[in-house]
């Protein structure tokens, strides 16, 4: 079996252009509008040129979702990695997620639509597992009380998703205020109750 061919700088730039235009198209008109013809028109190239770089529409959508996920994970992960202790990591995750959504509104629609068709992309660890890891660290270090890390991780992500959904429907929602309130609720949920 031969080694896969490495793409040139120009090929990588063209692929990125196609992905960027697909993000715009999905954000403006939804995934149903992201046909190969529409993607090509948005990128200012022929449909054949799109197919030169991607085997199919699904391959374009998979690459688009992978790019958005990688961007989100890198941005939020950087904040979490720089945080001090499990409390700080949890706050960094909550605030980082909402900041990313605010700063990348076109990516939100791609994430909401969940364009994944590639089983390798779909099989990546889910968000709850990453959050559960932070929660388990907090329990192991004695900073957090005993609780089911999976359940609480699902609740935290559910709250984040609800805030983002409301922000999409009502863009006047103040995400900084939402982040502060969610931070307070999350920190109260992980600590022992005091009397």
């Amino acid at each position: 079996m031969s080694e896969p061919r490495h793409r040139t700088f120009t090929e990588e730039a063209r692929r990125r252009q196609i992905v960027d235009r697909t993000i715009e198209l999905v954000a403006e008109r939804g995934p149903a509008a992201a046909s190969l013809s529409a993607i090509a028109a948005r990128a200012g190239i022929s449909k054949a040129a799109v197919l030169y770089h991607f085997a199919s529409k699904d391959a374009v959508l998979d690459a688009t979702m992978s790019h958005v996920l990688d961007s989100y994970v890198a941005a939020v992960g950087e904040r979490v990695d720089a945080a001090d202790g499990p409390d700080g990591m949890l706050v960094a995750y909550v605030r980082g997620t909402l900041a990313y959504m605010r700063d990348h509104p076109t990516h939100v629609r791609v994430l909401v639509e969940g364009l994944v068709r590639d089983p390798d992309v779909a099989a990546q660890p889910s968000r709850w597992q990453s959050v559960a890891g932070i929660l388990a660290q907090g329990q192991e270090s004695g900073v957090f009380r005993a609780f089911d890390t999976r359940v609480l991780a699902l609740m935290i992500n559910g709250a984040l998703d609800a805030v983002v959904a409301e922000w999409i429907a009502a863009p006047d929602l103040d995400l900084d205020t939402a982040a502060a309130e969610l931070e307070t609720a999350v920190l109260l949920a992980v600590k022992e109750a005091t009397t």
Side-chain angles (χ1 to χ4, degrees), residues 10-22 35-54 60:
T10 304
E11 288 171 329
E12 286 295 341
R14 178 64 77 186
R15 285 176 61 89
R16 177 62 192 269
Q17 176 197 19
I18 292 167
V19 165
D20 287 346
R21 299 301 79 82
T22 303
S35 67
L36 283 173
S37 298
I39 292 166
R42 177 64 64 107
I45 59 178
S46 69
K47 184 174 167 182
V50 174
L51 289 171
Y52 173 80
H53 294 283
F54 296 96
V60 175

Side-chain angles (χ1 to χ4, degrees), residues 13-189:
R14 178 64 77 186
R15 285 176 61 89
R16 177 62 192 269
Q17 176 197 19
I18 292 167
V19 165
D20 287 346
R21 299 301 79 82
T22 303
I23 291 169
E24 291 171 3
L25 194 59
V26 169
E28 290 172 17
R29 299 175 39 207
S35 67
L36 283 173
S37 298
I39 292 166
R42 177 64 64 107
I45 59 178
S46 69
K47 184 174 167 182
V50 174
L51 289 171
Y52 173 80
H53 294 283
F54 296 96
S56 65
K57 173 186 168 179
D58 284 352
V60 175
L61 295 179
D62 287 343
T64 299
M65 187 64 167
S66 289
H67 170 74
V68 170
L69 283 172
D70 290 348
S71 175
Y72 165 74
V73 168
V76 176
E78 186 176 301
R79 284 178 172 230
V80 170
D81 291 343
D84 192 24
D87 313 61
M89 293 167 72
L90 206 48
V91 169
Y93 174 74
V94 168
R95 288 192 173 269
T97 295
L98 292 179
Y100 183 86
M101 298 304 165
R102 182 190 58 233
D103 296 344
H104 300 86
T106 57
H107 289 198
V108 173
R109 182 77 185 265
V110 173
L111 290 169
V112 168
E113 295 294 345
L115 302 177
V116 178
R117 284 150 182 77
D118 181 345
D120 291 335
V121 175
Q124 292 178 355
S126 67
R127 289 186 313 156
W128 78 261
Q129 291 168 312
S130 299
V131 176
I134 296 170
L135 297 172
Q137 265 188 299
Q139 288 177 331
E140 289 162 13
S141 64
V143 175
F144 297 163
R145 67 179 176 81
F147 50 79
D148 185 309
T149 58
R150 181 178 187 174
V151 170
L152 194 53
L154 290 168
M155 291 171 60
I156 291 167
N157 282 325
L160 282 166
D161 292 347
V163 168
V164 171
E166 181 62 22
W167 176 66
I168 291 169
D172 64 328
L173 177 68
D174 183 343
L175 286 181
D176 291 329
T177 299
E181 293 297 340
L182 191 51
E183 173 188 331
T184 299
V186 166
L187 290 177
L188 286 172

